[in-house]
């Protein structure tokens, strides 16, 4: 057991425990806070993979934006969340848990059947991530310029649509209030 | 350092926890939380194989990073639109329990 492996096991334990709490916690607010713990754990896993850029992006996009968005949504739908405290999981949850365990068993079998999975990941050279090249290839028409622009348009369309859906419209004249 | 199978197993476990959340949660926001966990598991896998590829071939696979970035973008889009839909449904029906949103049911 190297120190790195012990660190990995600690991170993995934190991530998995908080993930399980995030899907089983009775109060949605607690579930969202456990989700934040899970996302931070995943960011640490990215850091152990030496993907430092995506570790930072994970913290900024997931913890900074998505988790806060989920917290807002939970607070805006608070009344119904409180009413549903008694049964946070549906009636068939045992069957669902068995299905999830089955999928997990299948995936682990597939990993075991693959000899290369035992490869020990070694430390990469310092500049292995090559972010400069990534920036160039994203803007390169022969590289990924089209997917990049399409995803920008997707984001803009989605955000405009989300505002349109979520904004509260007052009735024009008369009506209630 | 760490064997690659450890990362693959933790990603599989995270994916299955997310799958369980999607299947079992009654609250629509809870279902979205499950989807987020599944997307994170996919990202762990992508970056693990990215690391493995560099190690084996000694050249950086930039496709992997672009792929991961696109998963991030789609995850952000999915959450934004999903939460807007949930808030809108809550305004109309005063509930976010997925089973009660059955307006189209005959």
């Amino acid at each position: 057991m190297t120190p790195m492996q012990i660190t990995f096991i600690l991170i993995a334990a934190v991530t998995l425990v908080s993930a399980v709490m995030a899907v089983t916690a009775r109060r949605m607010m607690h579930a969202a806070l456990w989700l934040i713990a899970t996302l931070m754990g995943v960011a640490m896993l990215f850091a152990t993979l030496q993907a430092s850029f995506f570790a930072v992006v994970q913290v900024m996009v997931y913890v900074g934006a998505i988790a806060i968005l989920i917290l807002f949504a939970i607070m805006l739908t608070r009344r119904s969340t409180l009413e549903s405290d008694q049964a946070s999981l549906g009636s068939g949850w045992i069957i669902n848990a068995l299905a999830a365990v089955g999928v997990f068993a299948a995936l682990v079998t597939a990993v075991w059947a693959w000899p290369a999975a035992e490869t020990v990941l070694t430390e990469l050279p310092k500049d292995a991530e090559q972010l400069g090249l990534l920036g160039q290839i994203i803007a390169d028409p022969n590289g990924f310029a089209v997917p990049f622009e399409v995803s920008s348009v997707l984001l803009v369309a989605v955000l405009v649509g989300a505002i349109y859906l979520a904004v509260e419209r007052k009735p024009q004249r008369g009506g209630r209030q | 350092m760490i064997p690659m199978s450890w990362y693959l197993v933790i990603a599989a476990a995270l994916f299955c926890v997310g799958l369980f959340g999607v299947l079992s949660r009654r609250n629509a926001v809870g279902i979205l939380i499950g989807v987020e966990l599944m997307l994170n598991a996919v990202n762990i896998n992508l970056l693990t194989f990215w690391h493995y590829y560099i190690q084996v071939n000694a050249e950086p696979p930039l496709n992997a990073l672009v792929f991961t970035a696109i998963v991030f973008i789609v995850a952000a889009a999915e959450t934004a639109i999903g939460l807007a839909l949930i808030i809108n449904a809550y305004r109309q029906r005063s509930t976010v329990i997925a089973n009660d949103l059955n307006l189209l049911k005959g």
Side-chain angles (χ1 to χ4, degrees):
Chain A
M1 276 301 211
T2 62
M4 198 64 189
Q5 290 178 334
I6 294 170
T7 316
F8 177 89
I9 289 174
L10 285 178
I11 298 172
V14 168
T15 311
L16 275 188
V17 168
S18 46
V20 170
M21 292 305 290
V23 296
T24 54
R26 291 210 157 186
R27 292 178 176 273
M28 285 313 295
M29 190 59 85
H30 293 179
L33 294 175
W34 282 112
L35 175 73
I36 292 179
T38 312
L39 297 175
M40 290 302 281
V42 173
M44 286 191 275
L45 283 181
F46 288 174
T48 62
L49 280 169
Q50 290 183 275
S52 49
F53 174 65
F54 280 104
V56 173
V57 170
Q58 169 88 7
V59 172
M60 279 184 8
V61 173
Y62 269 101
V63 181
I66 293 181
I68 300 303
L69 214 57
I70 288 178
L71 283 177
F72 267 111
I74 290 169
M75 285 191 274
L76 285 173
T77 58
R78 185 119 179 280
R79 185 153 40 95
S80 115
T81 313
L82 285 179
E83 281 163 8
S84 68
D85 267 356
Q86 297 315 313
S88 60
L89 299 175
S91 50
W93 69 271
I94 296 176
I95 300 167
N96 297 337
L98 286 179
V101 169
V103 173
F104 179 65
L107 288 173
V108 170
T109 316
V111 169
W112 265 341
W114 189 41
E118 287 310 312
T119 317
V120 175
L121 297 178
T122 52
E123 194 172 346
L124 299 176
K126 232 178 190 172
D127 55 346
E129 207 171 3
Q130 304 233 2
L131 287 180
L133 267 182
L134 176 66
Q136 278 174 13
I137 203 167
I138 273 181
D140 181 6
N142 298 319
F144 294 96
V146 174
F148 179 67
E149 295 300 332
V150 168
S151 51
S152 318
V153 173
L154 171 77
L155 263 188
V156 172
V158 159
L159 292 181
V160 172
I163 293 170
Y164 178 76
L165 280 175
V167 76
E168 195 163 16
R169 277 181 284 283
K170 299 267 191 303
Q172 291 282 326
R173 57 182 94 88
R176 47 200 167 85
Q177 312 220 347
Chain B
M1 293 256 292
I2 303 160
M4 186 163 70
S5 54
W6 292 20
Y7 283 102
L8 300 181
V9 168
I10 190 92
L14 203 56
F15 183 87
C16 292
V17 171
L19 181 67
F20 173 71
V22 171
L23 292 175
S24 310
R25 274 291 199 190
R26 298 176 69 234
N27 192 316
V29 182
I31 295 175
L32 267 184
I33 289 179
V35 175
E36 295 305 321
L37 292 180
M38 291 165 87
L39 287 167
N40 265 289
V42 171
N43 274 342
I44 293 177
N45 256 6
L46 282 173
L47 288 176
T48 306
F49 287 120
W50 166 80
H51 190 120
Y52 173 71
Y53 188 94
I54 295 183
Q55 194 178 315
V56 172
N57 294 342
E59 63 175 83
L62 291 166
N63 307 9
L65 295 182
V66 175
F67 216 142
T68 315
I70 290 198
V71 172
F72 267 97
I73 293 167
V74 172
E78 169 260 332
T79 314
I81 206 78
L83 292 177
L85 284 172
I86 290 169
I87 290 171
N88 203 352
Y90 177 73
R91 290 231 174 84
Q92 315 256 339
R93 306 291 308 264
S94 293
T95 179
V96 288
I97 305 301
N99 278 345
D100 298 342
L101 297 174
N102 53 3
L103 194 62
L104 290 182
K105 198 171 175 180

